[in-house]
Amino acid sequence: MYESLQQLDSIRINFAESNLLNFVLAFIMFGVALGMQASQFKKLALSPKPVVVGIFSQFVALPFVTFLLVVIFNRFITPTVAMGMLLVAACPGGNISNFMSSLSKANTELSVTLTAISTGLAVFMTPFNFSFWGGLYARFVSNRAGAMLQPLEIEFGQMFETVFIIVGIPAVLGILCARYLPRLAEWLKKPLQYLSIIFFIALVGVMLANNWQLFIHHIHFIFIIVLIHNLLALSTGYGIATLFKQPDRNRRTLTIETGIQNSGLGLVLLFNPKIFPPELAIGGMLFITAWWGIWHIVSGLGISFYWSRKNPVE
């Protein structure tokens, strides 16, 4: 398995639509921000514990358990695959988590709040978590692959700039639109939510189509890795919520918010030549991040449909 995954590192992914991916992610962030209204969050502001628990689960617990996972499976996965997993764990919650929370009969207001806060914090926390946990992992495997991992110690400032432009600015514009043009925001909110899902799946689909033979040859290993990682992320959210004695509706929300990651942001970062120069062999990171973008939709909708048939325990 290790040798097969190692072959990914030298592969050059054919994806000329990287600028379009930047636009789609900014479009998604704008759509998410349209649902951010102060009136929805008054109750949560007065009782912030579930929000604090959710942010802890997403930005502290998930990167930590991901680090433990890549260390435990160190002999079976390559360094770039491990770094891809750490990059996904460092990203904020996915844009479709609000829709899934609503379908799950979960606490939708909490979901929207966590999306808003995690989107804002991602400007700082995504670069920090990837640099911190990636640096720890690089030192852990330094005897085996330190030379190869050395170039992956990316510049924090450049990643911060990219996240701010792609995530921060569209989010601010969406919030301003919701504040000063509420009718327009309400009219756009639902269509943009569905279009965001369609556009993102279409872009990942184009990337897979352009690299179909590579995908078919390696998917069985990547599928297993992402399956385990995503299951761990979902379990982390549910476990943290249970540990802090959250009600059933909140447990469902935190499960989804922690298990649905914005892998589109990860792809944007990977295709930015100022962060990851073209000469770097990061095929493993790209494959992991791209497949996450598809699989978390499948797993998230699966658990959402299951919960939609079960009323929350009061």
Side-chain angles (χ1 to χ4, degrees):
M1 178 177 177
Y2 185 92
E3 290 75 14
S4 296
L5 291 176
Q6 201 169 31
Q7 296 174 17
L8 290 174
D9 294 340
S10 60
I11 291 173
R12 297 298 179 192
I13 303 295
N14 177 20
F15 190 60
E17 296 82 4
S18 56
N19 289 332
L20 184 57
L21 177 62
N22 294 357
F23 173 79
V24 169
L25 187 62
F27 175 81
I28 289 171
M29 290 300 104
F30 175 78
V32 169
L34 290 177
M36 301 176 187
Q37 298 178 6
S39 60
Q40 295 176 310
F41 312 132
K42 183 177 180 180
K43 181 180 177 181
L44 291 170
L46 296 174
S47 181
K49 181 179 177 179
V51 177
V52 174
V53 172
I55 295 300
F56 173 82
S57 176
Q58 195 163 350
F59 282 121
V60 179
L62 179 58
F64 173 66
V65 298
T66 300
F67 173 75
L68 293 181
L69 182 66
V70 298
V71 168
I72 291 171
F73 287 97
N74 179 47
R75 294 186 178 183
F76 305 101
I77 60 175
T78 61
T80 55
V81 166
M83 295 294 267
M85 296 166 68
L86 290 170
L87 177 62
V88 169
C91 289
N95 61 292
I96 59 173
S97 61
N98 307 147
F99 168 73
M100 292 179 177
S101 290
S102 177
L103 183 62
S104 300
K105 299 180 180 179
N107 188 336
T108 307
E109 290 79 12
L110 175 59
S111 176
V112 174
T113 301
L114 288 172
T115 298
I117 295 176
S118 67
T119 297
L121 289 178
V123 177
F124 305 96
M125 293 303 297
T126 294
F128 171 78
N129 269 330
F130 182 69
S131 298
F132 178 76
W133 295 107
L136 283 182
Y137 177 76
R139 288 192 288 275
F140 175 78
V141 297
S142 60
N143 292 334
R144 187 182 68 161
M148 182 173 65
L149 281 177
Q150 187 64 30
L152 292 181
E153 295 182 4
I154 62 175
E155 182 186 352
F156 182 93
Q158 183 58 55
M159 182 177 275
F160 175 88
E161 177 185 330
T162 301
V163 176
F164 178 76
I165 292 172
I166 301 298
V167 175
I169 293 177
V172 170
L173 292 176
I175 293 171
L176 291 175
C177 182
R179 173 66 177 85
Y180 295 105
L181 300 169
R183 291 185 179 180
L184 176 63
E186 189 63 30
W187 183 75
L188 288 174
K189 190 166 56 176
K190 280 293 181 183
L192 291 187
Q193 187 177 59
Y194 290 109
L195 284 174
S196 296
I197 298 172
I198 293 171
F199 286 166
F200 182 71
I201 293 177
L203 273 176
V204 175
V206 168
M207 186 178 73
L208 293 177
N210 290 343
N211 302 274
W212 186 248
Q213 292 303 317
L214 298 174
F215 174 73
I216 289 297
H217 184 68
H218 298 285
I219 184 56
H220 48 298
F221 295 128
I222 297 298
F223 178 85
I224 294 171
I225 294 168
V226 172
L227 175 67
I228 294 173
H229 190 200
N230 181 238
L231 180 61
L232 180 68
L234 292 167
S235 301
T236 297
Y238 191 85
I240 292 294
T242 302
L243 179 66
F244 286 95
K245 300 179 180 179
Q246 293 299 294
D248 192 25
R249 290 181 70 240
N250 289 1
R251 288 202 300 269
R252 296 183 183 194
T253 298
L254 266 61
T255 299
I256 292 170
E257 288 296 321
T258 310
I260 305 301
Q261 291 297 98
N262 192 343
S263 53
L265 177 60
L267 288 173
V268 166
L269 297 172
L270 287 169
F271 281 114
N272 187 329
K274 294 181 180 179
I275 299 176
F276 295 96
E279 62 270 16
L280 287 183
I282 57 171
M285 296 182 71
L286 285 167
F287 266 79
I288 286 290
T289 308
W291 183 243
W292 245 98
I294 295 176
W295 179 251
H296 76 163
I297 296 175
V298 175
S299 65
L301 288 177
I303 195 170
S304 297
F305 280 119
Y306 170 76
W307 272 331
S308 70
R309 304 178 64 174
K310 297 170 65 72
N311 289 325
V313 178
E314 298 297 333

